[in-house]
């Protein structure tokens, strides 16, 4: 399952949404931050932090993670079978 296509969309509490793909850089930054391999992604915090890294890279937010997460309603995850 390619982690670059992990997300279908990020839905915000204001009703807007974003479609994003993770980059190799997002994954490397995530692994460095948590000091585990991305194959160990198991907490909701892990998932949302990876989404934030992608959104930040795309310059779709200027918020730090703590401010950004307060704006998020949910994240739609791609089906690994797709």
């Amino acid at each position: 399952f390619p982690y670059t296509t992990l997300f279908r969309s990020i839905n915000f509490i204001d009703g807007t949404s974003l479609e994003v793909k993770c980059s190799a850089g997002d994954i490397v930054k995530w692994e460095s931050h948590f000091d585990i391999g991305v194959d160990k992604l198991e907490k909701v915090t892990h998932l949302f932090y990876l989404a934030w890294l992608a959104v930040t890279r795309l310059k779709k937010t200027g918020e730090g993670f703590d401010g950004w997460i307060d704006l998020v309603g949910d994240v739609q995850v791609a089906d690994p079978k797709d």
Side-chain angles (χ1 to χ4, degrees), residues 14-82:
D14 68 0
T16 61
S17 65
L18 282 174
E19 292 184 19
V20 298
K21 288 187 178 182
C22 295
S23 70
D26 298 333
I27 294 168
V28 169
K29 288 174 187 174
W30 183 93
E31 289 181 335
S32 293
H33 179 80
F34 288 105
D35 197 28
I36 57 175
V38 74
D39 61 319
K40 305 282 191 290
L41 191 152
E42 58 189 26
K43 296 181 178 183
V44 172
T45 302
H46 291 167
L47 180 69
F48 282 101
Y49 195 83
L50 186 55
W52 173 76
L53 286 170
V55 170
T56 301
R57 174 181 44 81
L58 295 169
K59 298 183 178 13
K60 300 291 185 180
T61 188
E63 295 278 347
F65 178 72
D66 290 337
W68 179 80
I69 197 64
D70 289 337
L71 306 174
V72 176
D74 68 3
V75 170
Q76 298 295 313
V77 179
D79 186 337
K81 297 174 191 158
D82 290 344

